[in-house]
Amino acid sequence: MAKLTTSRQKALLRKYALNVKFLMTLVSVVLIVYTLPKQAKFGYEFEKGRIWNQRDLVSPYSFAILKTDAEIEADKKAALSTITPVYQRNNDMPVQQLEGFRNDLEIKWHNAGFPDRLKPLYLQTGINVLQSVYDKGVLKLNPKYQIGGKDYGTTILSDNVATDKSTSDLFTRERAVEYADVEISKQKALDKAFLLNLVQDRLQTNLSFDAKLTARLEHDVTENLSITRGMVQKGETIITKGSVINDEAYQKLASYKKAFEDNSRNNGNRGLVLLGQFLLTGITISLLMIFLYLFRRDIYQDNRLVSLILLVITAMLATLSLAIKLELPNFYYIPYCIVPIIIRILFDTRLALNIHLLVVLIAGFFVPNSFEFAFYEITAGMVSIYSIKNLIRREQFLISAVIITFTYFVSFIGISLIREGSFLTIDWAEFVPFAVSVLLTLLAYPLIYLFEKIFAITSELTLIELTNTNAPLLREMAFSAPGTFQHSLQVANLAENAIFAIGGNALLVRAGALYHDIGKMENPLFFIENQISGFNPHDKLPYEESAQIIIRHVSKGIEMARKANLPEIVIDFIRTHHGNTRVDYFYQSFLKNFPEKFINENIFRYPGPIPFTKEAGVLMLADSIEAASRSLKEPDEESISILVDRIMKYKLDQNQLSDSDITLKDLETIKQIFKRMLASIYHVRIDY
């Protein structure tokens, strides 16, 4: 079987790009619908304290009114209060301890020095005390049941016979020792210390707490509790239009919603629910594709980028579906803001906001209190996008997290006040899921790195790293071609300020400017900015060869950049910063010195292509103007102005900016910025 060449593979991908895009979109919709819970959506949103603005709601069938959590908890407490802890009596222990007491007395009697006639009295007194204690029972108090006081009721099991007793009628070991002390003290003829020591060594708990049996009894009594109170009959009005949703009405509505969902789960048409979800998800994803087609054609035409966007959306909605299936106690734990942050960093603000709105719209169908959910997440998502509009430093992620948390907090207070009408009744623990969500949002940082590597995308985080002058290539250039390095820094400053003024990616153009001349490191002395001794190696070379050395710094720069794994978006600046212009100095010198010779002009012309982005066009202008400004003998305001105008006119005449999407208005803005900055660089004084 013949193997397709790389060019043939690319041609096939271009030919069937639209089909691939349609297939990816369909797969994404199917995966989202597949993961979503398949049940009908309750048609009403309601909150305590709000006015019911819908029509009168009449029950279509009878249903039970559910108890509130507080009522269920109160019932549980009441039921549990009827269950006393169970203790098992060990009937073998008293026999063992009494026998042990006899043995102890026998062993220690000979060394005690007491009269033998008193021995029976010691024995009988000790046995009587131990027998009395064990007949009542010795236990260890359980702090769990000492809520109402030190003593509590118990159930004593002895040979499967249950007896209810209070711990006040039983002994603890401490109480047993006190009882023994009192009883032994009544026998004046006895040595109390000797006998008490023997007795207390034989005082052990013979009543042991049966945790399993007690827990089973507690479980049985709570398991059988009713979770409903009363009924709403078929045809009965649940709530009338204009009524305030008080506690009673809210519980009826919540009970109706539960009954509706149970009924739809058992009797609803699953196929129609599936169709509805498919239609809603399909139109939402279609709107995204239309947006890309109309406003971000560059992304729309790149199926690799489209697949990344669809992957992020599908993964987020699948996460929500998983949370629903796992019955997560609060859906605000999910870091919804991670989607707009990732899209903003990898693409742009408009796309991030558009995608976030679409994700929230879909998610709103499957979470409770959809309006509240949409308000929380849309506002937080917008803030997350705005807070990293211009990503310059990594700590902006943490700053963004703080701002998102503050936004959630303000929204939480506002909605709580509308719902409760009081600060005192706000449950501050409900804000914890929002804080957790913000912490999880910081996972965007490693995910961005992962997506960059998988989908070959260059984010602003990567550009920040590349613009660090301690980067390997820039350090090498600063050492081997210091003049070129300084030139690149000046070009970066000019281009960055210009692109910021006309609108564009300032960080990208700075990275492109810093690396655009790295190819000069191959032969730094052949470029005038690196010649410090007055020696010019071009003096000994033919003009054609000199031109080729100069031109070769572009191809060499591309080679070095790829070897250093620079992103293609940065390499494009190296490729286009001279467009397809001529190396005019050597071309004109050749014509002047050899007018009779015919020469192929392409020998003196850069291979191109011309700049095809606004950023690349600005860099070309900044590069040419900064380099030319160094040749000014007396750089004053007038000479700088003439220089800038002349070079920009030359680039326009040579059609070097025809693909760069730079308007004439943009060019005027760029001119003014370049003139002002060059005047500042050369310390031009204005007479006044």
Side-chain angles (χ1 to χ4, degrees), residues 58-102:
V58 178
S59 176
Y61 40 74
S62 298
F63 63 89
I65 302 174
L66 299 172
K67 293 179 180 178
T68 64
D69 291 340
E71 289 173 331
I72 292 175
E73 191 62 31
D75 288 349
K76 282 184 178 180
K77 287 183 178 179
L80 290 173
S81 66
T82 64
I83 301 299
T84 55
V86 178
Y87 285 81
Q88 295 280 1
R89 181 185 289 275
N90 187 342
N91 292 319
D92 294 330
M93 178 176 287
V95 177
Q96 296 170 1
Q97 296 302 328
L98 288 172
E99 185 62 30
F101 170 74
R102 291 188 181 94

Side-chain angles (χ1 to χ4, degrees), residues 40-265:
K41 172 72 174 176
F42 188 63
Y44 303 97
E45 294 289 339
F46 54 92
E47 296 176 26
K48 286 183 184 179
R50 294 181 66 180
I51 303 295
W52 181 260
N53 292 319
Q54 309 285 343
R55 59 181 172 80
D56 291 358
L57 185 59
V58 178
S59 176
Y61 40 74
S62 298
F63 63 89
I65 302 174
L66 299 172
K67 293 179 180 178
T68 64
D69 291 340
E71 289 173 331
I72 292 175
E73 191 62 31
D75 288 349
K76 282 184 178 180
K77 287 183 178 179
L80 290 173
S81 66
T82 64
I83 301 299
T84 55
V86 178
Y87 285 81
Q88 295 280 1
R89 181 185 289 275
N90 187 342
N91 292 319
D92 294 330
M93 178 176 287
V95 177
Q96 296 170 1
Q97 296 302 328
L98 288 172
E99 185 62 30
F101 170 74
R102 291 188 181 94
N103 293 333
D104 292 345
L105 180 65
E106 192 67 36
I107 292 170
K108 295 184 179 181
W109 180 260
H110 299 291
N111 297 326
F114 301 131
D116 287 341
R117 60 183 176 79
L118 294 177
K119 185 177 180 181
L121 182 60
Y122 274 93
L123 179 62
Q124 192 60 46
T125 302
I127 290 175
N128 290 341
V129 170
L130 288 172
Q131 192 68 57
S132 298
V133 169
Y134 284 122
D135 284 346
K136 274 193 172 184
V138 184
L139 52 66
K140 183 178 181 181
L141 294 174
N142 192 325
K144 176 183 176 182
Y145 300 99
Q146 291 181 300
I147 300 173
K150 187 175 181 180
D151 291 306
Y152 52 87
T154 65
T155 298
I156 308 298
L157 279 181
S158 177
D159 296 329
N160 293 324
V161 177
T163 306
D164 292 333
K165 284 190 177 183
S166 171
T167 56
S168 60
D169 297 327
L170 302 170
F171 284 113
T172 63
R173 193 172 185 282
E174 292 75 16
R175 291 177 188 171
V177 172
E178 292 174 0
Y179 170 79
D181 190 320
V182 172
E183 291 300 311
I184 293 172
S185 297
K186 293 178 181 179
Q187 299 292 337
K188 303 298 182 181
L190 304 180
D191 186 314
K192 185 178 75 171
F194 173 76
L195 184 57
L196 182 60
N197 186 53
L198 292 176
V199 168
Q200 70 179 5
D201 285 345
R202 292 298 167 179
L203 289 174
Q204 304 294 330
T205 56
N206 69 323
L207 300 177
S208 57
F209 176 58
D210 193 331
K212 288 185 178 180
L213 181 55
T214 304
R216 192 172 74 213
L217 293 173
E218 291 176 345
H219 175 267
D220 290 343
V221 76
T222 56
E223 189 70 15
N224 295 323
L225 289 174
S226 173
I227 61 171
T228 64
R229 52 171 175 82
M231 294 283 293
V232 172
Q233 300 298 327
K234 180 179 179 180
E236 182 181 338
T237 300
I238 299 174
I239 189 170
T240 58
K241 183 176 181 179
S243 300
V244 176
I245 304 176
N246 55 23
D247 291 343
E248 183 66 23
Y250 180 86
Q251 204 57 31
K252 285 184 178 180
L253 287 168
S255 302
Y256 176 45
K257 179 180 179 182
K258 178 70 166 55
F260 172 85
E261 291 175 347
D262 290 343
N263 185 60
S264 64
R265 189 180 296 113

Side-chain angles (χ1 to χ4, degrees), residues 393-684:
R393 299 178 304 276
R394 293 178 184 272
E395 58 263 30
Q396 282 182 252
F397 271 112
L398 294 176
I399 296 172
S400 178
V402 172
I403 297 174
I404 295 171
T405 305
F406 179 75
T407 303
Y408 273 135
F409 186 70
V410 172
S411 300
F412 174 77
I413 291 177
I415 289 176
S416 298
L417 289 177
I418 291 174
R419 185 190 301 158
E420 305 291 342
S422 170
F423 273 108
L424 299 177
T425 55
I426 294 177
D427 185 0
W428 298 104
E430 291 183 2
F431 184 72
V432 172
F434 295 100
V436 173
S437 170
V438 174
L439 290 176
L440 292 176
T441 300
L442 295 177
L443 290 173
Y445 189 84
L447 285 175
I448 288 169
Y449 177 80
L450 182 65
F451 288 140
E452 279 190 278
K453 296 303 179 184
I454 294 175
F455 293 92
I457 299 175
T458 304
S459 73
E460 292 184 350
L461 295 174
T462 299
L463 294 177
I464 290 173
E465 293 175 350
L466 291 176
T467 54
N468 185 342
T469 53
N470 285 318
L473 273 179
L474 296 182
R475 270 206 320 270
E476 184 182 350
M477 183 165 62
F479 177 77
S480 61
T484 299
F485 179 70
Q486 292 302 320
H487 160 71
S488 298
L489 289 175
Q490 295 286 21
V491 171
N493 291 332
L494 289 170
E496 186 177 23
N497 279 276
I499 202 68
F500 187 83
I502 67 172
N505 193 329
L507 195 57
L508 175 60
V509 82
R510 182 170 189 83
L514 289 174
Y515 289 91
H516 78 283
D517 270 345
I518 57 174
K520 293 181 178 180
M521 287 191 287
E522 181 187 32
N523 293 303
L525 293 180
F526 282 85
F527 299 90
I528 191 168
E529 66 266 24
N530 299 309
Q531 298 170 3
I532 57 177
S533 62
F535 170 72
N536 188 344
H538 289 291
D539 293 340
K540 298 181 179 181
L541 296 176
Y543 297 121
E544 306 96 303
E545 188 176 341
S546 291
Q548 285 300 302
I549 291 174
I550 297 298
I551 292 170
R552 193 163 59 239
H553 87 273
V554 172
S555 59
K556 186 62 181 177
I558 295 172
E559 179 186 331
M560 295 172 68
R562 285 183 173 152
K563 188 176 180 181
N565 293 319
L566 291 187
E568 281 296 321
I569 197 171
V570 175
I571 295 175
D572 285 338
F573 286 93
I574 303 174
R575 185 183 292 110
T576 62
H577 74 279
H578 283 296
N580 54 18
T581 56
R582 290 192 308 257
V583 185
D584 265 343
Y585 176 81
F586 294 111
Y587 178 68
Q588 296 300 335
S589 297
F590 180 88
L591 293 180
K592 181 179 179 181
N593 288 281
F594 304 101
E596 73 287 352
K597 284 189 177 181
F598 173 79
I599 186 67
N600 184 359
E601 182 182 309
N602 289 331
I603 295 176
F604 296 88
R605 192 174 290 278
Y606 286 98
I610 62 175
F612 47 83
T613 64
K614 186 181 292 188
E615 288 81 3
V618 169
L619 174 62
M620 168 184 274
L621 295 173
D623 178 45
S624 299
I625 289 171
E626 200 285 330
S629 68
R630 294 170 179 264
S631 64
L632 292 175
K633 294 181 180 179
E634 295 183 6
D636 54 23
E637 186 179 4
E638 182 179 359
S639 63
I640 290 173
S641 179
I642 292 172
L643 174 72
V644 172
D645 291 339
R646 175 172 58 81
I647 291 179
M648 293 186 74
K649 182 177 183 304
Y650 174 77
K651 298 297 183 184
L652 286 172
D653 292 342
Q654 294 291 314
N655 295 318
Q656 297 298 302
L657 302 175
S658 57
D659 292 342
S660 60
D661 198 28
I662 297 178
T663 66
L664 292 176
K665 182 180 179 181
D666 291 338
L667 287 175
E668 287 301 316
T669 303
I670 294 169
K671 279 183 185 180
Q672 297 307 315
I673 291 173
F674 284 174
K675 290 175 183 180
R676 185 177 69 251
M677 291 187 67
L678 288 172
S680 176
I681 291 170
Y682 292 108
H683 304 289
V684 174

